[in-house]
Amino acid sequence: MTIEPFGDQAVRVIFGDRIAPSVQQEISRFIRLFDQKSFNGFIEYVPSYTNIVFYYNPLEVIEGGRKDTSAQSQVIDFLTGLSRCTFESVDQGSPRRVIHIPVCYGGDFGPDLDEVADLHHLSASELIHRHSAPEYLVYMLGFAPGFPFLGGLPEELATPRRATPRLKIAAGSVGIAGRQTGAYPLDSPGGWQIIGRTPVPLFTPETDPPTLLQAGDLVKFDPISEREFERIKGTR
Amino acid sequence: MALTILEKGFAATVQDLGRSGYQRFGIIVGGVMDPPAAKLANWLVANPETAALIEFSFMGPSVLFTDDTLFAVTGADCCPELNGRKIHTGKPYLARVGQILAIRGLVSGSRGYLAVSGGVDTPVWFGSRSTYMRAGMGGYKGRLLVEHDRIPVGKPSRLAEKLMGSITGSDFGERWFFSLRRIYHGIHTIRVMPDTLWARFTEQSRTAFLNEEYQVTASSDRMGYRLEGEALALSEPLEMYSEAVTNGSIQVPPGGQPIILMTDHQSTGGYPRIAQVASVDLPLLAQLPPNSRIIFQKISVEEAENLLLRKQDYLKVLRKRVTQKLESLVP
């Protein structure tokens, strides 16, 4: 683990240099430990694939801490100290949650399904089968409220983005972009290849936490029919 | 209490000091682009500095007051008029019911603030009233203000009520106003700290970055400032993963022209960063209009923190002077 300065109001704690479930696990563990301690002037943290950024207010760090040394070095000292007890005093945490997300593949909900299947010389149903088989790991949320960055897309399904991005992709759309797969929580423009749609909201502002998925969760896409899609949509 | 938008101006939105604490869910911080100017506006109408207000850019809105309202305009230099009479920025005025404030074009600087006593009282969303345009949430219906919008206003503080009861006209005496004493034209020095990827850029890029002028282009907004100048390049390609970014992160996309992330930036980004703007210089940057020229100057984190401490002390003194002035006006 290394800690790097990130401007004058943040530091970055780095746990690895590649995308891997073990790195994500260390990040989760460090966050669980931090949640019990925190420090004066702390604002928030944002985990990503290989690191966590801790944001702080330097004026509050100095006010609540030492005046003779920089706020940043006090934050770095605190996090370094925390890292020393990471492995002894934090339990392994609960096992990863598996969140099932129903997806209606193809048709109007997945306008790019056939094209993506053709590109990979697969039938549409084989593509659906391969996309819905793995358990994907949520590494981070970002880009838009509740948008998950998922790892674990089978390599043979990797597909370049669309040459021309769409102006509007409907909320719930499930897509592939390069080696990533994910789902759009809100209507937005985007260049992902859209292969299906889920009736389940990923961004749930009325609940705490406000997102269906959290970093560290596993996601399983369950294929459903259009009728099932409408039924689930109707119950919400 | 409320006010009605008569002319929308340009990019007018409801903002406050932002929505921190939710970036890990993908919810951006947002908030005012120039916090000192916004705080000054709130101080002048005896609001808490966290109160929501209206931020506008380039062209200020015209508003109709549907109740007696204490208000102040700060930020960029402009020539507002209350019912056709010129008024000062940096000073509170009492608008009477039915009066119209016309702010119009900005003379220099690029963001202005209109604060009203009691604050803009739109619903709080995740701890803030700031407009989150991309998600269509927060602020007034999650969007830019337009004609006929009726903006709810909260209850004025006791001091504001006393001020409103203490005068017969609109003006609290001639010859005084408060200002942040900034100049928005000319060449601006923006202080930066090198990012940890600094050394991955070519020597020529690093030299150019700290010595050549960069210009703020017209495609700059609340999300980011796109600059134009000598293109920057990495010594060798770098595989970057999306990771958390922050205000003032200077990203370099493949084209080589840097982008400075501003307050409405996404919580994560995947471009290499050459440097990070010192927080103390972000409000000034927020005021620079397109075509402004920038020179970057390298400083240490310790220097950046000291500048912030000095700035905080200056703002504390200013706040005290504003409060003393307001208290001196009530009998």
Side-chain angles (χ1 to χ4, degrees):
Chain A
M1 192 198 85
T2 54
I3 305 181
E4 290 177 351
F6 183 34
D8 54 18
Q9 309 216 34
V11 296
R12 190 181 299 280
V13 184
I14 299 168
F15 294 84
D17 55 8
R18 71 207 160 87
I19 298 176
S22 60
V23 175
Q24 194 286 320
Q25 206 154 21
E26 275 188 67
I27 287 175
S28 285
R29 216 178 279 165
F30 193 81
I31 284 175
R32 280 202 301 280
L33 186 66
F34 179 83
D35 280 343
Q36 300 161 20
K37 309 251 177 164
S38 195
F39 58 85
N40 278 324
F42 165 71
I43 297 174
E44 63 181 314
Y45 53 70
V46 181
S48 59
Y49 286 112
T50 59
N51 62 66
I52 313 170
V53 168
F54 287 85
Y55 300 86
Y56 59 88
N57 178 336
L59 303 172
E60 284 176 25
V61 171
I62 288 171
E63 216 169 275
R66 290 167 53 188
K67 314 275 182 281
D68 58 341
T69 169
S70 75
Q72 183 153 88
S73 61
Q74 295 181 55
V75 171
I76 290 176
D77 285 351
F78 174 87
L79 293 171
T80 307
L82 201 58
S83 71
R84 297 219 175 90
C85 45
T86 306
F87 297 100
E88 296 101 67
S89 57
V90 170
D91 62 276
Q92 296 299 302
S94 39
R96 294 190 189 283
R97 300 191 305 168
V98 182
I99 310 285
H100 289 260
I101 297 185
V103 177
C104 178
Y105 286 93
D108 289 346
F109 293 155
D112 300 328
L113 180 79
D114 290 336
E115 213 177 299
V116 174
D118 282 352
L119 188 79
H120 299 299
H121 308 293
L122 297 170
S123 65
S125 62
E126 182 58 24
L127 176 72
I128 295 170
H129 174 72
R130 292 193 192 190
H131 185 261
S132 58
E135 285 182 342
Y136 297 99
L137 178 58
V138 180
Y139 280 94
M140 58 191 278
L141 303 176
F143 171 66
F147 184 95
F149 287 79
L150 302 177
L153 181 72
E155 252 170 62
E156 73 272 15
L157 298 189
T159 313
R161 284 163 199 265
R162 288 173 58 83
T164 317
R166 287 193 174 88
L167 290 176
K168 186 183 158 187
I169 292 177
S173 291
V174 173
I176 296 176
R179 295 171 62 179
Q180 297 185 81
T181 185
Y184 282 73
L186 304 169
D187 290 352
S188 61
W192 289 41
Q193 305 279 1
I194 303 302
I195 58 172
R197 195 185 299 175
T198 177
V200 175
L202 288 112
F203 180 54
T204 51
E206 63 288 343
T207 65
D208 180 23
T211 52
L212 176 66
L213 304 172
Q214 310 298 319
D217 287 344
L218 291 170
V219 171
K220 179 88 171 46
F221 294 117
D222 297 336
I224 55 167
S225 66
E226 207 164 317
R227 179 183 283 183
E228 189 72 355
F229 180 99
E230 298 301 342
R231 192 190 63 76
I232 297 172
K233 190 108 190 160
T235 60
R236 289 179 184 268
Chain B
M1 305 247 304
L3 52 86
T4 302
I5 305 292
L6 297 181
E7 286 172 50
K8 64 183 179 181
F10 185 82
T13 51
V14 174
Q15 301 290 346
D16 59 16
L17 298 182
R19 187 174 277 122
S20 43
Y22 303 100
Q23 287 193 93
R24 67 180 185 281
F25 303 116
I27 298 172
I28 66 163
V29 178
V32 293
M33 288 279 278
D34 182 353
K39 288 177 184 176
L40 175 61
N42 274 323
W43 298 338
L44 287 165
V45 294
N47 278 348
E49 63 189 24
T50 50
L53 35 54
I54 295 174
E55 178 182 284
F56 49 88
S57 195
F58 306 124
M59 175 67 78
S62 293
V63 304
L64 167 71
F65 294 97
T66 50
D67 298 277
D68 285 5
T69 308
L70 193 68
F71 73 90
V73 178
T74 65
D77 299 325
C78 56
C79 309
E81 289 180 4
L82 181 62
N83 258 23
R85 196 173 61 88
K86 279 206 166 83
I87 59 168
H88 239 295
T89 58
K91 181 179 178 181
Y93 290 87
L94 177 56
R96 299 293 178 178
V97 54
Q99 289 193 325
I100 292 167
L101 168 70
I103 297 174
R104 303 212 178 87
L106 306 185
V107 178
S108 81
S110 65
R111 290 172 223 270
Y113 295 90
L114 166 60
V116 289
S117 61
V120 169
D121 194 23
T122 49
V124 173
W125 190 75
F126 285 95
S128 162
R129 292 185 170 87
S130 291
T131 309
Y132 184 178
M133 298 270 291
R134 230 187 117 173
M137 303 302 292
Y140 186 83
K141 301 183 178 175
R143 60 160 170 79
L144 299 179
L145 301 182
V146 297
E147 282 82 5
H148 310 303
D149 284 347
R150 203 174 139 79
I151 314 298
V153 173
K155 192 176 154 20
S157 64
R158 297 231 2 216
L159 177 55
E161 278 183 339
K162 281 192 210 164
L163 283 162
M164 290 164 71
S166 70
I167 57 165
T168 47
S170 286
D171 198 337
F172 292 91
E174 299 292 328
R175 293 171 197 282
W176 69 273
F177 63 93
F178 289 91
S179 143
L180 293 164
R181 297 176 189 286
R182 298 201 196 116
I183 294 165
Y184 302 126
H185 49 80
I187 301 177
H188 296 271
T189 300
I190 298 293
R191 290 161 289 197
V192 296
M193 289 150 280
D195 192 87
T196 39
L197 294 176
W198 172 257
R200 312 291 284 268
F201 285 84
T202 62
E203 198 187 329
Q204 191 189 340
S205 295
R206 286 177 269 152
T207 307
F209 182 74
L210 292 176
N211 293 284
E212 302 299 324
E213 264 180 37
Y214 283 84
Q215 201 168 35
V216 177
T217 67
S219 40
S220 299
D221 58 19
R222 285 179 47 92
M223 285 181 75
Y225 272 33
R226 288 168 183 275
L227 306 183
E228 200 172 271
E230 192 168 320
L232 306 171
L234 293 164
S235 309
E236 49 194 272
L238 192 64
E239 194 184 359
M240 287 281 299
Y241 305 124
S242 285
E243 57 183 15
V245 290
T246 189
N247 289 356
S249 289
I250 306 180
Q251 293 190 333
V252 181
Q257 296 296 343
I259 299 173
I260 309 180
L261 299 185
M262 301 301 280
T263 181
D264 272 353
H265 69 83
Q266 292 172 14
S267 53
T268 55
Y271 291 124
R273 296 171 306 268
I274 189 164
Q276 196 68 35
V277 175
S279 303
V280 73
D281 284 340
L282 287 171
L284 171 71
L285 195 59
Q287 287 290 359
L288 298 185
N291 301 323
S292 298
R293 291 175 297 161
I294 293 176
I295 292 269
F296 292 110
Q297 183 195 347
K298 188 170 135 185
I299 62 169
S300 67
V301 171
E302 289 74 17
E303 286 170 292
E305 285 188 13
N306 283 331
L307 289 165
L308 268 180
L309 281 166
R310 290 221 302 272
K311 179 73 164 289
Q312 178 185 242
D313 289 343
Y314 164 77
L315 289 173
K316 268 186 188 162
V317 170
L318 185 64
R319 177 183 194 164
K320 204 169 153 194
R321 282 173 49 221
V322 170
T323 307
Q324 282 169 348
K325 180 70 190 176
L326 295 187
E327 282 168 349
S328 77
L329 294 170
V330 293

